[in-house]
Amino acid sequence: MPEYDVIIVGTGHAGAFMAYELGSKGKKVLMLEAGPATPRHREDYMESFYLAGFKSPESPYPPDANNNQPRKTNAPHPTIQQLVFGWDNPEISYLTYTPGSLPFGSTYLKLAGGTGNHWQGTTLRMSKNDFMLRRKYQHGLDWPIAQDELDNHYAKVEAFMGVAGSTAEQLAARDDIPPSYQFPMPPIPLSLSDKYIKARVDGEPLTNEDYFTGQKTVVTKTPQARNSVPYDNRRVCHGNTNCVPICPIQAKYDAAYALGKALATGFVTVKYKTVVDKITVGEDGKISGLHYLTYDDISVPAKSGQTGQGTAAGTVFVLAASAIENARILLNSPWKTGMTVANSSDQVGRNLMDHATYLAWGLMPVNAPAYSYRGPLATSGIESLRDGPFRSTRASWRLELGNEGWNWAKGEPYAIGPDFLYGKNNGGLNNGGTNGSPQVLGNKSLLKALNGYLTRQFRIAFLVEQDAEQSNRVQLSPTETDNLGIPRPLITYNLSDYTRKGFISAKLATTEFMRRVGAQEYTQFDAGNAKQFTYDKQSFNYYGAGHVCGTHVMGSIPHASVVNYHQQSWDHSNLYIVGCGSMPSISSQNPTLTMLAVTSMTVDHILTRV
Amino acid sequence: MIKISRRDVLKTAGTIGGALLAPGLPLWSLAEAAPREKAPAGFVNVSSALLGIDAGVLNPAIRPDDISMADVFYGLTVLAGPRSIANLLAAYDVMENQHLRPDQIAQALLVSGNGPNTSLNGAFSRLITLMWLYGTWYGHTEITNIPTSASGIAADYQKDFVISSRAYKSGWIWRVAQTHPMGFSQFSFGSWASAPPSLADYGITLA
């Protein structure tokens, strides 16, 4: 008998939750984590964040996000810095690209807790129609799961994470949530600007598309895994406006916290700095082991490389290493002649998705400052317009109201100060001189400009649905490796017309939104940003939402999907491939909650086998 | 002549630096390093004129851990450009003796025609203003915008860096925006649902 019942690759959201569930049932679990452990002092992460000149989502975490040398890093991951300073340069960018590909806008981490460290905490459920996008709207792919099968699992993971929300709000948002359901915690309060906006925006749909007949615009409180009361030994949110990259007080649930709970069961062991590179298959077609390489040095460039290797054996194997890394491991694992593990369908790596995000920003009226840069990054959104017959024509979107001013949009408040001292207009606000020229200000004039603009800044973000496409895919780079010699991902990424039409709709909705609020819109297309496309003669920038999905989609037909209803490989009965990579469609809701609910189903299935 | 080295910056400003760590000490302990220079009154006064914030508010007599950000920032300017900061303070003295108002002094130091003052006095005035606002030394930003400023800034300081976590948390931009530094809130649950403290609560006036 193998020493471990279950081997899990990756300690992020899915892996940590699964390890806790299995460990608490007395199952022996070994976790293999490519990155380092959590430091003894969480303040070390905070210190890295405070001292980072570029406060990207990766800035608190190793390896150094400002020093991107993926060829010379033992377990590199994508960073926003790479996207900004050299997305198409393999010396800088961990992800490599095929010619003609657009940049993939999202990033992920490799360390204890994985990308679950810097998620925002939004926990919206998906709705019935989201699970049958193809059947209902003739786009994308269908799930083998119906939404109501997840009700109990949604409730379970909401209790595990600690979700603050209101059933009444979700019903107003047109969610398919049982009316009798009670969230674990009362909802997070709306921000001051949320309330002002809600009072003016609620009502008729934001666009005059016929499809919207009978639908209403409703700003609702966003359910989120953030404490509104003390919960599970964690504090209430103090509004650090820093959910991404890091909540300083862990009021936001994160996967590193779950990992701690998993370890506390006494049945879970973690090996850090242990990079799975290949999966081996036995004569019987079952997985026989996970081959891994070890290393010590997390610095960039690494002073040393591989320090050892080994093979982990267990009864059941789980890949929970994130969508792109799961595909990378599978594609790097030969099986039979000319094939790779779990890939008889040739679907591994395909259907890569994200929420392509349309950002819009403006200034609130002079008499109604937003007083942004306070509270969680977002406390409300417009969910009520996500679903309708229009989805036969264009992608769904949800609208998130931000609380962080123009931080995402323009890097504020770091643009405005230099702009008014150097007479520049990088932020778009310094045009009050003669004929709209920029000014140089000091003393009270400077203070007035800073206060007057910063307190009125707000942004909205439309998370636009991406439909699954065969051509959007992860392959292995034929030439580029990391410092351990493992091939790096080769990405082909584009946005379909369906998604691009969603951007057209979002732009129209923005105009009406700003009109109702009485706000002055400042949204600008940035030609210097590589994340751009043109549709219907309009140019758009898109941003990543951090929602890396697809790559090993679940389905009901073995030749058209990688895993089944249980996230179990069609090809290898003792291999489960879990995470957002299993999602065949992602609607416009942030995916972590649904991914965990599906993982909860998978845990139940594994428990019948070990 | 003060010897300039990167290590001096670390000691002065408390910036992260593995070489200075005693084994086992967490990184954030460096933020507690005491500044080695005491800022002269002229430095605080010129800072006040540039920012439009009272000198006693910028540099209160009682401060956390008895660490004055004025001392930290002044020490950095001395390392980055001893002659440049001395010249700026001398120019400030002249204008103060001429009884120029603080806004006139700020105008004279920061503005030339319709654009920025490209002299070294202008450079160090901007660097000082930005330090107070953001807790960041913007040497690279300065010479990117005004290349001639390089002549007054030591090579090690021709880069941008956050001076220390304490400096980041002390940034006045957040108070001017009536909020807290991102990632360092001293407000409580639900505070975002109502109006923030007024500027007056921070000792700031716009008139």
Side-chain angles (χ1 to χ4, degrees):
Chain A
M1 285 288 287
E3 185 180 354
Y4 294 100
D5 295 312
V6 182
I7 314 281
I8 300 175
V9 183
T11 61
H13 271 306
F17 168 72
M18 187 176 259
Y20 170 76
E21 288 290 315
L22 295 169
S24 61
K25 302 284 192 308
K27 306 304 175 189
K28 293 188 72 177
V29 177
L30 173 66
M31 305 185 83
L32 305 176
E33 169 53 56
T38 303
R40 284 180 62 194
H41 301 275
R42 189 172 173 79
E43 288 84 353
D44 288 0
Y45 281 161
M46 291 310 303
E47 186 71 2
S48 296
F49 166 75
Y50 292 138
L51 293 175
F54 190 142
K55 293 185 176 0
S56 67
E58 299 79 29
S59 58
Y61 309 105
D64 182 358
N66 285 312
N67 191 358
N68 293 284
Q69 301 182 51
R71 290 171 180 166
K72 299 173 183 170
T73 306
N74 283 320
H77 55 231
T79 66
I80 295 296
Q81 280 88 335
Q82 294 169 15
L83 275 164
V84 172
F85 300 119
W87 72 275
D88 54 354
N89 178 354
E91 282 187 48
I92 294 173
S93 172
Y94 169 66
L95 300 180
T96 65
Y97 290 90
T98 55
S101 174
L102 293 177
F104 188 70
S106 286
T107 62
Y108 51 92
L109 297 175
K110 293 179 186 171
L111 75 167
T115 316
N117 283 282
H118 75 38
W119 77 309
Q120 188 168 308
T122 302
T123 49
L124 290 156
R125 296 183 179 198
M126 283 172 66
S127 302
K128 286 191 171 67
N129 290 344
D130 298 330
F131 290 83
M132 42 186 180
L133 191 63
R134 167 67 52 181
R135 261 178 294 158
K136 186 97 182 164
Y137 300 119
Q138 299 79 53
H139 283 277
L141 296 172
D142 288 335
W143 290 63
I145 299 173
Q147 194 266 357
D148 53 10
E149 292 180 85
L150 287 176
D151 277 347
N152 290 338
H153 297 282
Y154 273 134
K156 183 176 180 178
V157 296
E158 284 166 355
F160 180 76
M161 291 192 286
V163 170
S166 154
T167 306
E169 290 281 310
Q170 293 321 110
L171 291 171
R174 301 176 68 240
D175 262 14
D176 296 314
I177 190 169
S180 60
Y181 178 68
Q182 284 206 317
F183 280 94
M185 284 180 276
I188 301 287
L190 295 178
S191 68
L192 192 64
S193 57
D194 287 342
K195 290 188 281 189
Y196 184 88
I197 289 168
K198 178 176 174 57
R200 284 153 186 81
V201 168
D202 275 10
E204 294 304 305
L206 288 174
T207 69
N208 59 6
E209 292 170 283
D210 294 337
Y211 321 119
F212 279 114
T213 306
Q215 296 187 200
K216 296 288 185 189
T217 302
V218 191
V219 172
T220 45
K221 293 172 182 166
T222 304
Q224 45 201 291
R226 192 177 330 286
N227 285 2
S228 61
V229 294
Y231 190 89
D232 197 18
N233 294 317
R234 291 182 292 113
R235 299 165 64 184
V236 297
C237 174
H238 282 195
N240 275 282
T241 327
N242 214 57
C243 321
V244 182
I246 182 169
C247 174
I249 61 172
Q250 246 173 344
K252 176 191 75 177
Y253 166 86
D254 65 49
Y257 186 76
L259 182 60
K261 291 178 65 162
L263 290 168
T265 66
F267 289 94
V268 176
T269 303
V270 187
K271 287 187 182 211
Y272 295 104
K273 301 181 187 176
T274 301
V275 184
V276 172
D277 63 337
K278 281 185 171 61
I279 302 171
T280 55
V281 184
E283 293 289 323
D284 57 0
K286 289 187 176 180
I287 303 303
S288 56
L290 301 177
H291 183 262
Y292 59 79
L293 308 177
T294 58
Y295 66 94
D296 281 335
D297 190 17
I298 60 169
S299 57
V300 183
K303 297 178 203 63
S304 62
Q306 181 186 335
T307 54
Q309 62 177 317
T311 299
T315 303
V316 165
F317 299 86
V318 178
L319 290 189
S322 84
I324 290 177
E325 295 300 312
N326 279 350
R328 180 194 186 208
I329 294 167
L330 291 168
L331 292 170
N332 197 43
S333 303
W335 175 49
K336 297 182 179 174
T337 305
M339 276 180 55
T340 50
V341 167
N343 198 20
S344 62
S345 62
D346 187 33
Q347 291 300 300
V348 170
R350 296 186 185 274
N351 306 305
L352 175 66
M353 291 176 277
D354 190 4
H355 286 123
T357 302
Y358 177 69
L359 270 189
W361 56 100
L363 292 180
M364 293 286 275
V366 174
N367 62 354
Y371 293 120
S372 292
Y373 303 94
R374 299 186 306 149
L377 287 175
T379 37
S380 74
I382 296 173
E383 319 297 342
S384 59
L385 305 176
R386 286 190 315 234
D387 186 43
F390 62 85
R391 291 178 80 179
S392 294
T393 307
R394 59 104 172 145
S396 165
W397 47 252
R398 71 170 288 254
L399 191 163
E400 177 192 85
L401 275 67
N403 286 331
E404 88 296 1
W406 292 5
N407 183 258
W408 187 3
K410 298 296 288 184
E412 292 281 35
Y414 297 98
I416 192 168
D419 270 2
F420 279 102
L421 288 171
Y422 290 102
K424 301 284 184 183
N425 193 20
N426 294 319
L429 292 169
N430 190 7
N431 53 9
T434 311
N435 298 324
S437 62
Q439 297 174 290
V440 177
L441 301 176
N443 199 261
K444 302 290 185 189
S445 302
L446 177 62
L447 286 185
K448 280 181 201 165
L450 297 178
N451 177 262
Y453 287 130
L454 288 172
T455 55
R456 290 169 58 206
Q457 293 179 348
F458 78 101
R459 65 90 181 152
I460 53 178
F462 294 79
L463 277 67
V464 182
E465 176 174 24
Q466 251 198 292
D467 47 331
E469 291 191 289
Q470 291 282 300
S471 54
N472 282 346
R473 64 187 298 194
V474 180
Q475 297 170 281
L476 294 183
S477 169
T479 53
E480 293 293 332
T481 61
D482 61 24
N483 196 54
L484 296 174
I486 306 173
R488 282 157 42 198
L490 175 69
I491 304 292
T492 305
Y493 183 69
N494 211 324
L495 303 173
S496 66
D497 284 355
Y498 186 66
T499 298
R500 293 179 186 214
K501 286 176 186 168
F503 271 66
I504 297 280
S505 168
K507 189 175 179 182
L508 284 170
T510 298
T511 302
E512 174 62 7
F513 180 97
M514 296 288 179
R515 187 192 68 76
R516 290 188 196 179
V517 174
Q520 190 175 355
E521 186 176 0
Y522 278 75
T523 312
Q524 271 182 322
F525 171 70
D526 177 5
N529 181 345
K531 298 194 297 293
Q532 60 173 273
F533 67 87
T534 301
Y535 190 76
D536 198 18
K537 297 178 182 169
Q538 299 179 67
S539 296
F540 293 93
N541 292 122
Y542 65 92
Y543 296 82
H547 302 164
V548 191
C549 297
T551 75
H552 48 82
V553 295
M554 59 170 26
S556 50
I557 305 171
H559 66 75
S561 54
V562 179
V563 295
N564 64 17
Y565 179 96
H566 300 295
Q567 299 192 86
Q568 181 185 26
S569 163
W570 289 113
D571 294 333
H572 316 280
S573 62
N574 63 340
L575 175 65
Y576 294 78
I577 311 165
V578 307
C580 289
S582 295
M583 298 173 76
S585 74
I586 57 173
S587 188
S588 48
Q589 293 92 319
N590 311 48
T592 299
L593 178 76
T594 296
M595 179 274 283
L596 282 176
V598 174
T599 303
S600 170
M601 290 177 66
T602 300
V603 169
D604 288 350
H605 190 250
I606 291 175
L607 282 170
T608 66
R609 308 186 60 196
V610 294
Chain B
M1 184 69 185
I2 297 168
K3 189 181 173 200
I4 298 167
S5 75
R6 176 68 179 158
R7 178 159 295 195
D8 281 323
V9 182
L10 300 176
K11 285 177 181 168
T12 302
T15 302
I16 198 164
L20 295 175
L21 276 180
L25 262 186
L27 296 173
W28 43 263
S29 63
L30 278 170
E32 308 306 314
R36 66 178 195 181
E37 301 274 359
K38 180 152 179 56
F43 180 83
V44 179
N45 290 338
V46 75
S47 298
S48 171
L50 292 165
L51 286 153
I53 299 170
D54 287 351
V57 175
L58 279 182
N59 194 35
I62 298 174
R63 48 245 176 170
D65 304 326
D66 202 30
I67 291 177
S68 154
M69 294 317 297
D71 295 349
V72 172
F73 296 156
Y74 174 71
L76 194 46
T77 61
V78 168
L79 292 166
R83 183 167 300 176
S84 303
I85 185 63
N87 288 343
L88 172 63
L89 296 187
Y92 174 78
D93 280 346
V94 170
M95 290 187 277
E96 195 178 39
N97 289 335
Q98 292 170 343
H99 303 294
L100 293 184
R101 296 191 312 269
D103 62 308
Q104 293 172 317
I105 294 173
Q107 177 83 8
L109 290 174
L110 293 170
V111 184
S112 176
N114 292 323
N117 177 359
T118 56
S119 73
L120 288 178
N121 281 350
F124 271 69
S125 296
R126 285 184 291 275
L127 290 166
I128 289 169
T129 307
L130 290 168
M131 276 197 289
W132 283 106
L133 287 176
Y134 297 107
T136 298
W137 176 261
Y138 278 110
H140 179 72
T141 297
E142 173 64 28
I143 62 172
T144 302
N145 281 284
I146 300 170
T148 52
S149 296
S151 66
I153 304 172
D156 277 355
Y157 297 85
Q158 295 182 6
K159 59 181 84 168
D160 295 349
F161 58 90
V162 178
I163 294 161
S164 68
S165 53
R166 181 187 292 271
Y168 169 77
K169 295 173 194 171
S170 303
W172 279 87
I173 194 77
W174 308 106
R175 279 168 272 193
V176 173
Q178 295 176 254
T179 181
H180 55 83
M182 293 176 85
F184 187 69
S185 170
Q186 292 180 316
F187 296 104
S188 56
F189 178 76
S191 54
W192 52 87
S194 51
S198 69
L199 284 175
D201 289 334
Y202 295 111
I204 300 171
T205 59
L206 297 182

